[in-house]
Structure formats: structure tokens, C-alpha cells
């Protein structure tokens, strides 16, 4: 991508810093960051997010779920996950206090609970998986903490448990391509869990196969327009054209085709109803099953492979990836060999938790 500077966390020689205020030549249309997501063809896609996209998110999050200068925001998401954008920039922009949890803290839910208490955190964004781990560790809760769920489906059981332990619970929804969050729902006890209504300057449409609006209560594909829509994918004009399409309801602008199924409820909120394709969410990370299958199929000892997401334990619990493999050689490749092969081709969160060798599919 012709990068001119690389920042790392390795030890490096100190660089002399300028003593004058740097000039700012950045425009709202310039890119703020590129974040990679899974691709169905085995090639990850880099999403090009502009400064104006992030600024709109910042101003929207201050209003909903709400952020004040007196707040303490605990950031548990890694900076390579777009939820971190919602942690860092709105907090610093309004002048609130940001506490960055260490990698060791995030790996141990008991330590996350201790950091919540020690920091006096009043707001935390996390995936449902992280919240479940925190609750299973015995965390008693915090009456001052606003719990924000995002990145995956919020179950009724998890919502109820969080409501018992927190000051408030919010459910957020939004693909990376539309800058972290596009809708929010204030979760209340006994009410249907939805993804809520659009944030400021964002438009959500539910359209049929002819891209016409459907009636309230009728399922359709969720399309997103407005200020959150990013600039498309890096060096992927075909996929950009497929997903980023002209917005007929706002001529001259673009809307994003999510591949998610949903419907409007009478109160204007949206009920999310799953995917229209083979994309899944595992611990908040978006995964195209075809990408993992393509990586497995590249092994010389694999004739065919299918990867599925299976629920781990009780319904509504965490999901894991299971790979079903038909070998092309005898003896079949060892499971450790298949795992090592994948580790060189996909990120760690896309590694199957189990491999099953089959004679045929």
C-alpha cells in the first residue's frame, strides 16, 4: 500500500522530535485507517475508513449511549478490532478518562473484573463473548458501569445477567464498512432485544431483492447509508462495486449492502435476523467460512474441506469453528499439521477449534 511510515512496539532508536506545532493538512475525505476483514475468496479485504466517518461516530457516541467528561472508559478491545475506535477517539475527544486494559488483563476475565473495580470504570464496550467470560469468572458487577455489547448477537440470557449487575445495557450493531456502529438499542428488562435505531446522520434501509423498501414487519436485507459509509476496499474494485452501491434514496451518495437479514418493528427499531450468506461472527470477529475452507484446500494433503460454526454448549452460547476434511493422501495429514498450515494463512481467530477427518463429504 506504499506505506511511508511503520509504527511498531519493538525497541527502536529514539527519534528527535520537532519543537514546533506540526501542520495539519488532513481533510475529511482523507483515510483515517485501513482495517482488514475476512474475505469469501480467501483474500482479506482492507476497509478504507475516512476521517469524516470517524468524526461522525465520535459525535454520535457522545449522545448515544452517552459520554460525559466525568466518565471513565475501560478499553478491552485490541486496536486491530474496530470496536477500539469507539473506545479511544470519542473518549479523548470529549476529555473523559481512557483506561487501556493490558493484553494480560484481557486474557483473564478475573483481571478484567479487577480493572473495572480499580479504575472506577463507568463505560465499557465489549463483545458478548467477553461479557459472558466476565460473568462466568464470578464478577459481581458494578452499579456505575454502562455495559455496551457489540460485534455479535446479544442473547436474552446475557442481557438479563448484565441488567442484574450494571447501571445500564446497550446493544450496538454495525459492520466495519460503515464505521463500527450504525444502530443502538437501550436494552430493558423483558423487552425484545433489537439492534435499535440508526445513530445520527446514518440511514438504515430494509430492502427486497429489487432494492425496494419493504413494509414494517417484512424481512429484507439491511442496507446502510449516510455519514458512516466508508470509501470501500483497498485495491478491490470488483468487491467494492458489489457491496458499495448507489443510494437511490439519496442521489449522489453510496449505501453499503450488509448481507444481513432484518425487519422494521412498529416502533421504528430493527430486529436482526441473521445472515444471507456464509459469513459468521466468532468472538466478535467477522469470518467468511469460505476463506478458511480455501486456506485448508491449499494443503497438498486435502482433497475437500467444509468449515462450520457450531454452538459450544448451551443454546445462545459462544460458537466455535469446526473443520471437516477429506484427505487426498494416505495416511491423512495429522491435525497438528493442518493447524500449522492454517496458522501461516489466516489470523488466529479464524483457526478451527476442532478438525474432523471424513472419508467423503
Amino acid at each position: 500500500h506504499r506505506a511511508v511510515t511503520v509504527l511498531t512496539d519493538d525497541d527502536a532508536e529514539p527519534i528527535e522530535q520537532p519543537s514546533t506545532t506540526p501542520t495539519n493538512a488532513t481533510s475529511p475525505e482523507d483515510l483515517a485507517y485501513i482495517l482488514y476483514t475476512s474475505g469469501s475468496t480467501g483474500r482479506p479485504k482492507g476497509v478504507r475508513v475516512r476521517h469524516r466517518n470517524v468524526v461522525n461516530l465520535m459525535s454520535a457516541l457522545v449522545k448515544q449511549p452517552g459520554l460525559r467528561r466525568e466518565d471513565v472508559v475501560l478499553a478491552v478491545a485490541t486496536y486491530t478490532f474496530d470496536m477500539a475506535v469507539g473506545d479511544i477517539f470519542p473518549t479523548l475527544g470529549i476529555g473523559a478518562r481512557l483506561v487501556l486494559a493490558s493484553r494480560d488483563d484481557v486474557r483473564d476475565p478475573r483481571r478484567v473484573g479487577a480493572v473495572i473495580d480499580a479504575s472506577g470504570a463507568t463505560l465499557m464496550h465489549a463483545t458478548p463473548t467477553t461479557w459472558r467470560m466476565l460473568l462466568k469468572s464470578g464478577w459481581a458487577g458494578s452499579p456505575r458501569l454502562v455495559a455496551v455489547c457489540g460485534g455479535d448477537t446479544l442473547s436474552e440470557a446475557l442481557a438479563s445477567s448484565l441488567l442484574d449487575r450494571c447501571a445500564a445495557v446497550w446493544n450496538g450493531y454495525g459492520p466495519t464498512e460503515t464505521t463500527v456502529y450504525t444502530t443502538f438499542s437501550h436494552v430493558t428488562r423483558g423487552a425484545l432485544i433489537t439492534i435499535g435505531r440508526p445513530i445520527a446522520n446514518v440511514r438504515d434501509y430494509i430492502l427486497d431483492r429489487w432494492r425496494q423498501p419493504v413494509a414494517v414487519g417484512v424481512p429484507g436485507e439491511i442496507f446502510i447509508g449516510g455519514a458512516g459509509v466508508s470509501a470501500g476496499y483497498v485495491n478491490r474494485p470488483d468487491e467494492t462495486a458489489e457491496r458499495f452501491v448507489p443510494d437511490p434514496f439519496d442521489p449522489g451518495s453510496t449505501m453499503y449492502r450488509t448481507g444481513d437479514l432484518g425487519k422494521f418493528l412498529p416502533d421504528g427499531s430493527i430486529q436482526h435476523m441473521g445472515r444471507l450468506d456464509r459469513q459468521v461472527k466468532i468472538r466478535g470477529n467477522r469470518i467468511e467460512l469460505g476463506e478458511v475452507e480455501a486456506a485448508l484446500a491449499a494443503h497438498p494433503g486435502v482433497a475437500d474441506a467444509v468449515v462450520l460454526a457450531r454452538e459450544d454448549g448451551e443454546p445462545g452460547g459462544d460458537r466455535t469453528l469446526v473443520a471437516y476434511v477429506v484427505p487426498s493422501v494416505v495416511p491423512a495429514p495429522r491435525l497438528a499439521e493442518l493447524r500449522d498450515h492454517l496458522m501461516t494463512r489466516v489470523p488466529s481467530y479464524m483457526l478451527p477449534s476442532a478438525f474432523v477427518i471424513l472419508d467423503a463429504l
Side-chain angles (χ1 to χ4, degrees), residues 135-155:
L135 295 175
K136 288 181 180 179
S137 73
W139 180 61
S142 169
R144 63 177 174 269
L145 183 69
V146 174
V148 182
C149 287
D152 209 341
T153 303
L154 173 61
S155 68

Side-chain angles (χ1 to χ4, degrees), residues 65-76:
L67 190 61
R68 306 163 301 161
R69 291 185 61 186
E70 297 77 23
D71 277 318
V72 178
V73 178
L74 176 59
V76 297

Side-chain angles (χ1 to χ4, degrees), residues 56 95 99 152-153 183 201 256 277 349:
N56 188 74
V99 177
D152 209 341
T153 303
T183 65
N201 303 314
Y256 174 70
D277 54 22
Y349 64 82

Side-chain angles (χ1 to χ4, degrees), residues 157-353:
L158 177 57
S160 178
S161 297
L162 289 173
L163 286 168
D164 289 338
R165 294 168 174 81
C166 299
V169 178
W170 289 77
N171 187 33
Y173 161 83
T176 298
E177 287 86 344
T178 56
T179 319
V180 191
Y181 292 115
T182 58
T183 65
F184 268 109
S185 168
H186 185 201
V187 181
T188 57
R189 194 175 300 280
L192 176 69
I193 296 176
T194 72
I195 59 174
R197 297 180 178 86
I199 63 174
N201 303 314
V202 169
R203 301 182 300 274
D204 279 51
Y205 313 116
I206 297 182
L207 309 179
D208 61 21
R209 69 181 65 183
W210 297 281
R211 296 187 185 172
Q212 295 297 312
V214 299
V216 171
V218 176
E221 185 173 0
I222 301 174
F223 285 72
I224 299 169
V229 179
S230 67
Y233 302 119
V234 177
N235 300 329
R236 305 288 284 275
D238 293 345
E239 294 206 36
T240 297
E242 178 186 351
R243 287 291 181 180
F244 294 82
V245 297
D247 185 343
F249 313 103
D250 184 20
S253 66
T254 301
M255 62 182 183
Y256 174 70
R257 182 179 185 179
T258 68
D260 288 337
L261 186 68
K263 65 180 180 182
F264 277 117
L265 300 178
D267 65 356
S269 61
I270 298 172
Q271 182 179 359
H272 190 274
M273 303 174 68
R275 291 289 302 174
L276 294 168
D277 54 22
R278 298 192 65 227
Q279 187 183 104
V280 298
K281 285 282 188 79
I282 303 291
R283 293 179 291 277
N285 295 293
R286 200 171 79 188
I287 298 172
E288 293 278 3
L289 297 178
E291 181 174 354
V292 189
E293 291 170 352
L296 265 176
H299 189 286
V302 174
D304 203 356
V306 167
V307 178
L308 300 178
R310 307 293 297 270
E311 284 192 354
D312 183 13
E314 71 278 2
D318 295 334
R319 289 186 295 175
T320 59
L321 295 183
V322 179
Y324 299 87
V325 176
V326 177
S328 61
V329 295
V330 178
R334 293 179 297 108
L335 302 187
E337 179 183 341
L338 293 176
R339 185 177 177 85
D340 290 345
H341 167 81
L342 282 181
M343 288 179 66
T344 65
R345 289 166 171 78
V346 299
S348 59
Y349 64 82
M350 293 174 62
L351 293 176
S353 299

